[in-house]
Amino acid sequence: MQHPWTSALVTGASSGIGEAIARQLAAAGVDVTVVARRTERLEKIATEYPGVVVVAADLTVPTDVTRVAQLLNDPTHTIDLLVNCAGVGSSGPFVDGSMETYHQLIDLNVSALVSLTHAAMAPMSAAKRGWIINISSLGGHTPGPSFAVYSATKAFVTSFSESLFEESRNDGVVVTAICPGATHTEFGETAGAVGDDLPAMLWQTADEVATESLEAAARGRAVRVTGTINRITGALTTVLPRAVNRRLSAMVTSKL
């Protein structure tokens, strides 16, 4: 993989897309700091790739967010690339869910992502060089019945990232929103999105999403919907009436 980075910090690096991105970067010779709650999984990556730095942090905890943000502002160790991949999901009727779960979801998917992006952008803008990848979702393109809070957080991530892309256009900083569709990861199982009824062609592996993510950022893209079928689907959502998007989304989420 051709890449412009010398150092990166990846959140959510203990599994799924975050782990795949961290491994691809480390294999390409990038100095990677991996962040997640499950230290033992991060340490496994570190044993395979010398130079990987392990940081155990729960990004729903404000003090942990502050600690990771300080790493992004460390003048002795410049971070070229920030990958905000830490995230959580929940499924089911909104009224049946707990507010504790919803607050945790918003804290991680939105608040922590905004805080770390803000921390990274100051030194990147000063250096006129930097990249930020925010992992969003194709689910953020439309309403998500049965995934109402999750889909709303991902709509935020995409809009937020696109706004920053334009703000930073002349500052040497690239902010890219990555919007995967159905991906085989532990995340989907935890969120209740197994998708046994979805056609196999709609699924991607975490490695496939990671490769597209890094390529999109390196090329300076604002948004990348991963997977050909997903890109077609995403394009259709921009021309279909909102009522049709809602119904189609409900049909898809009912199969997850």
Side-chain angles (χ1 to χ4, degrees), residues 1 29 39 46 157 176 213 219 245:
M1 179 190 70
T39 310
V157 171
T176 303
S213 300
R219 292 174 181 173
N245 275 329

Side-chain angles (χ1 to χ4, degrees), residues 30 44 51 59 62 67 123-124 138 144 147 149 155 169 175 189 191 201 205 221 225 232 239 254:
V30 178
K44 185 175 186 298
L59 296 181
R67 183 160 51 86
M124 288 180 179
L138 183 60
F147 293 84
V149 178
R169 180 181 288 276
V175 182
E189 297 173 6
M201 67 178 180
T205 66
R221 307 297 191 195
V225 177
I232 294 171
V239 297
S254 68

Side-chain angles (χ1 to χ4, degrees), residues 5 8 14 48 56 75 84 112 115-116 118 133 137 139 146 162 166 168 180 188 205 215 220 222 227-228 251 254:
W5 311 296
S14 61
E48 297 177 32
N84 282 309
S115 294
L116 297 185
H118 187 268
I133 295 174
S137 171
S146 297
E162 285 194 90
E166 289 301 324
S168 304
T205 66
E215 288 177 351
T228 302
M251 290 172 59
S254 68

Side-chain angles (χ1 to χ4, degrees), residues 60-94:
T60 64
V61 177
T63 53
D64 280 13
V65 174
T66 299
R67 183 160 51 86
V68 175
Q70 289 171 344
L71 296 175
L72 294 165
N73 269 307
D74 183 355
T76 66
H77 182 63
T78 302
I79 299 293
D80 298 318
L81 170 66
L82 166 65
V83 182
N84 282 309
C85 193
V88 67
S90 66
S91 64
F94 172 75

Side-chain angles (χ1 to χ4, degrees), residues 181-199:
T183 308
H184 290 294
T185 65
E186 291 178 21
F187 175 90
E189 297 173 6
T190 303
V194 179
D196 291 336
D197 294 334
L198 291 178

Side-chain angles (χ1 to χ4, degrees), residues 92-107:
F94 172 75
V95 70
D96 292 340
S98 73
M99 286 308 303
E100 179 182 3
T101 297
Y102 296 146
H103 280 303
Q104 181 187 49
L105 196 154
I106 294 167
D107 287 345

Side-chain angles (χ1 to χ4, degrees), residues 2 43 77 81 112 117 138 142 146 161 163 168 177 188 197 208:
Q2 295 293 324
E43 289 175 344
H77 182 63
L81 170 66
T117 298
L138 183 60
T142 63
S146 297
S161 301
S163 296
S168 304
D197 294 334
E208 289 170 339

